[in-house]
Amino acid sequence: MASSNVPVLADFLDPRVRVNVASALSESLRGRLPKAIKLLNGDRFDSTPVDAVGRQVSLAHLLHLNRQSSEALTLLDRILSSDLAGLPEEIRLVIEQNRIDVCFGGGWPAPDEIERRYGQVDRRRLLGINFREGDALSDAAEASLAGNNYDSLPVYNALLFQAYRSFNWLLTREMSGHLCRELIRLSQSVQAGFCAILSESKEVAHLVADHLRALNDASVVNSVVEKIAECSHLGRHITCACHFLEKLGDAIPDGSIALWIERLKPARQLPCTTLAEDWAAQPAWKATTLLLEGANTPVAQSVIDEVLQHRLWGVNGIARHRFYEVLEAAAAVVGKAGCRSLIAAVIPHVIANKPDHDFREALQLLVSIAERWPTLKSEIRKKVYRRGRRIPHLLVSAAPFFEQTVKLGDAKGAVHRAIAHLRLQVEQLAPGATPTTGHGESIVQNKPTKAGSVAVKIGSCMEELGVLIQYRKKLSGSLKHGLVEGVIDMLSNPENENANRTSLFRTLRSLSDSVDAKTARKIADIASRYASDHRAIGHPLYGHQEQHSPLNPIRMGLSWPQDVRGEALLTLAQLSRYHRHLVGPKLVTLILAGVADPNAAVRRSAYHAVHLAGPHARLCLPVVVGGIRDTDASAANVALQVVGVQAVAISKLKLVPTVLTFLESHCRHPDVGVRRAVAAVTRQVRAALGGRKNADAERLDTLVEKLRADVSRSVRAAVSSEQGAPGNGAPTRASGQTKLKSQKTKKRAQKARRRDRPLTIR
Amino acid sequence: MAGSGALRLISVDRRARLKALRDGVEPIFRNRLHRHFTDHSIEHCDRVADLCGRLLSPLERKLNDDEGFALYGGAYLHDIGMHNEKAGESGRLAQVLKSEGRDWAKTGFEDRLEIIRRNHHEISADMVIASVRNGAPPIGFTLGDNDRPLEIAAICEAHCVDTAAARYDSLMPKPEQPTMRLRLLTAILRLADILDEAHHRAIVAQAQTLDLSLESRMHWWRHYYTREVEIEPVKNRVTVVFRFPASKHDDYGKLIPALQMPWVEQEFERHRAVLAENGLSWHLSWVVQEAPFDTLEQMPPDVESYMLQQLARRKQLAAYKSRIDLLAQFDASRAHLLAQLHAVEAESTNIEPAEYLRRVLRLTRDLLELGSDLTARTRLKSALFFATSNGRTVVSALHVHAATELARMDEHQDPRGAVTGLLSVLKIAEALPDGASEKVPFYRALATLALRAGAFAEGSAAAEVAIRLIGDVDEAENIRAEVAEATLFEGHSVPVAK
């Protein structure tokens, strides 16, 4: 385990100085930084010059933890420029590493600082010093995995102690993280929460939050949140707490909302002129978004005011981008007056002659407000749609929602233009030629070929097609036929990407309610081909990979063959509503094959397809009921939503007892998305049973009681009312557990999805 | 020709013969096969001969004529093999090549040069032997039996042989002959040879016109900055004088002597005994000379980088060697302690358990001190178990003491084992009188180890007892500090020091 022969700074200090160092950290953790600083500035107990070094390094630590990087750096430079009162080289190396910690934690370090860090690493290696106890950590990890926590926990504890006593901040953080993971495994949640804050790690904070959501025990959640509130006062700890709250989401206890909104205020109000400020502010805004879900009107209004007065709000669309999520969350809480002030602030960014980067988000916010307050629709409409003004595609798409009539003008020309633009989605290029852009593409992929290259534009034309879909009823049959043919051509193009194929299938799905039999047949043919087993020889996407190689570090949020297959299945299901004869029993066969597919994405779509097809896939309902127990949480979630929507049919098929059994086992599911869906289904099945009093009804009542005690606000809301509950319409893919993509990739994918489809009302 | 210092050592007759020898070999030195090497010309031989004379000047019993001729003969002949392009056709080299199935005629030029460089000391010796009573002597001078050709050949060969190697010993007579002190002569030649690694051998015009490799350039510049060797017989001091360009004075001062001097120092060290036997006690030092004006050139950056690399490599090698030495020391000491331990273990059933445990404790403590942690821990654990099980017992104080020692050994390898080991004897420790010398260390160890392993309750309780029992105020403060640190990680508020 720990190397006994490596000198540690604590061993050189007067014991009373050591007590005060520990006390200072403890005080500052609890929000009493001035007292801690005073304690460390006092030299009452210094018995040798080394004590002053220990106190100053500790002081630098507190300043660093509070994001006062320049003060910490000045202090450390002063310490390092001395001879460290004759302390050994190993201790100098630790202090040097702490200095690098400060340097790298305070924004982009200067190139010479990077060089300095590399030099430090080399010096350590040459001296044969390894701060990390690799063998001990590895042994402890193995013991922990084998369930021998009595062996691993003491090791993690001892390593944390060793790191702390060495004054090695980086290692203390790391070891706190290891100890936290171990404590989570041992269900010592409060202690784990404390260690998560000490670890300053986003990943570790998320682990604690995930553990709490899965544990679903309100008293434990309260205790942990209280502990974290008690010891998160320094800047870096507050950031870590933000990550925790962000992940805890709607399980944040209502009682702590006001406290956290207030505590995050200084971080939110940072002007974000430096990277370090941005690192502190961004998580604070994210956490605030989640906190607002449980906030009251004055608190939400105060956050809106903060946003509108923030320096970045007046800068540009890119800077404003970060605020829309929080504004949307606040808009869902504040009253009409508050929303009016928000509309006034946002309208200029929607009607600007040259749309800024936040145009889409601003419009989405207006849609959200209008959705909540329908009476505000006309106010928004009057401001957004002004007679004679040319408006972008997105506003045209949103016009029906705002009950605004927009003249499409030359429909034929619009369709022909859209087809022409769509054909450019995959463009053959001669060597040296540049691809045509400007049709809403998010990424342009260049694939070299023998004759030059092929440029594939991901997400191009989707806004343009969105407008045509919105006005599809006004298009003639032949125009729609041409449009469908154009879409199918592009969809079948072997050079095209699956990301585009999924979007194009969505386009076909949207058109399916207004096409004639001839066009519908074309859609049915192509959808049937793609909805079959994508691993079978003969499928157009046969041989495509289903996921990124685990060794591939570049993970673009593009689509996979299973996504295309799922969209094709949904298209076919939608089409069956209007052209049953064209789809027939083929749909049921494809759905059943989809439900049995090993890939969760296909199963999700298959369950969803049962809902879309309605009575034409009733045969598949028992399978969907079975899908509630799907091993994949997001697939189970969709199956639950379909069961909820089809509650009446389920009741008629006498499947309610089976459903209830599954709901009872799932009401404590670790995935909050599943529990939310369980809550919604419980309510829907209760409604489907009417006022009947029988054994099923009693079981439902018990279930409701259990769900009302859930830690997640959304679950409690879902079981109690229609508001905020999923499963009222088409199934969504929301799941609290889906972690397959990184946050960044997820966001990119969300963005891409938003671009891919016409604006939807959320 | 060698300076007057050298010539003074031998008689007029021999001096004339030496002059003839020098004249005979000089044309061969003009061959200069190894053009990319620092100078190995007849001038180098002259300087070596001169240095030999100066190094021998304080010699108590002066060289006799034979010794003098053998030494100077060696000075002029030790590198002659470097210039013999036909070296592979005769002598030992020819035999070696034949045994390896290689043909000298078909060997490439560069390979030949490398073979010659590697074996030039043997080639020189063979050439000397082949020149005895030979009308066409390969060294250009016919040696007679009175010229002590065997001794000259031995000196030539020994000038490049490791002094620790068996071959070196076989070349030197045992014991040293009073009339032919071959070990001394060889030592002096080797020292003179290495001391001549100076700027005389770094010829600027040649360096400017030859396409030298980085390695050769490094040697060239190393020689260039080594300006001279001062030999002060009165002070028994040999000083190597370096000079550097003013702008690089400090940088080169850290680099060149560090690169140059260890070799020279090692060579002096190798011959210290033989020099002392003959009343020579040379002390080696070096100095960087500062000149008011200098025309010295700076070496190119790539050469400087290469030198730095070489220096780093040399230090790494030294560090590695030091670790290997430590390991050898460890192995020897461990084997010694293990033998004692085995002896005690063999007696385990014949002696009292307490005596057995005491002896094992002493030996395992020594093992631990040596660095043999694992052996110490496992052996003490076994002994403690043996002495306190199957009806065997030891006095409580010894039991507690051994458990405390074991826990201290376990601390870094098995923190859980350390704490559980101590807790298993807690009752016995509690029963000891407060004044028992084993009691305080026990609670002290339990407090530290339990607090560090996360057993806060047990650790704090033990700390309280230890503070109550302990007489030393400072140690009590140390325990309080440990409790404070553990309190911090328990997530509790830590009171300030009083």
Side-chain angles (χ1 to χ4, degrees), chain B residues 323-342:
Chain B
R323 285 201 298 274
I324 295 296
D325 289 348
L326 179 71
L327 209 59
Q329 179 61 41
F330 170 83
D331 289 343
S333 312
R334 185 170 177 271
H336 170 72
L337 287 170
L338 277 179
Q340 289 188 53
L341 201 57
H342 290 153

Side-chain angles (χ1 to χ4, degrees), chain A residues 66 127 202 223 268 430 440 553 566 574 578 608 618 656 665 701 709:
Chain A
N66 203 38
L127 270 176
K202 180 179 178 177
S223 306
R268 287 195 302 267
Q574 181 92 348
Y578 311 100
H608 190 176
R618 191 130 297 164
V656 171
S665 70
D701 288 343

Side-chain angles (χ1 to χ4, degrees), chain B residues 108-285:
Chain B
F109 181 68
E110 292 300 326
D111 287 346
R112 280 191 193 187
L113 289 187
E114 179 55 23
I115 293 168
I116 291 170
R117 187 196 63 78
R118 249 193 347 253
N119 301 288
H120 78 274
H121 54 296
E122 284 181 3
I123 299 168
S124 300
D126 290 350
M127 286 168 75
V128 169
I129 299 297
S131 301
V132 180
R133 298 188 303 273
N134 186 343
I139 62 169
F141 179 81
T142 303
L143 291 166
D145 292 336
N146 290 339
D147 293 327
R148 309 306 294 250
L150 291 178
E151 284 77 6
I152 293 175
I155 291 171
C156 287
E157 185 172 346
H159 97 276
C160 272
V161 177
D162 182 359
T163 52
R167 179 63 186 158
Y168 189 84
D169 266 352
S170 71
L171 289 168
M172 302 293 134
K174 264 186 210 168
E176 182 99 312
Q177 301 294 311
T179 52
M180 179 51 73
R181 289 167 285 178
L182 206 53
R183 279 181 189 272
L184 173 68
L185 303 182
T186 309
I188 293 295
L189 179 85
R190 286 175 62 130
L191 293 175
D193 194 24
I194 203 161
L195 285 173
D196 191 44
E197 288 194 351
H199 76 103
H200 321 95
R201 298 175 72 184
I203 300 159
V204 177
Q206 283 179 350
Q208 283 172 345
T209 50
L210 287 171
D211 184 15
L212 299 174
S213 70
L214 202 52
E215 174 85 20
S216 300
R217 284 159 72 205
M218 180 189 77
H219 291 304
W220 194 92
W221 284 100
R222 186 165 60 84
H223 284 72
Y224 177 71
Y225 293 122
T226 310
R227 301 313 288 180
E228 58 186 307
V229 177
E230 286 175 1
I231 296 175
E232 299 164 275
V234 180
K235 294 178 182 171
N236 283 326
R237 194 162 63 194
V238 175
T239 307
V240 179
V241 180
F242 296 97
R243 221 162 69 216
F244 306 120
S247 60
K248 291 292 231 173
H249 190 271
D250 291 346
D251 289 348
Y252 290 2
K254 288 174 193 159
L255 178 61
I256 308 284
L259 209 58
Q260 180 85 331
M261 289 311 293
W263 301 117
V264 186
E265 283 160 1
Q266 278 167 22
E267 196 57 40
F268 269 82
E269 195 53 45
R270 284 185 194 116
H271 307 293
R272 191 152 307 283
V274 71
L275 292 178
E277 279 167 21
N278 289 280
L280 297 172
S281 54
W282 288 115
H283 165 68
L284 181 69
S285 66

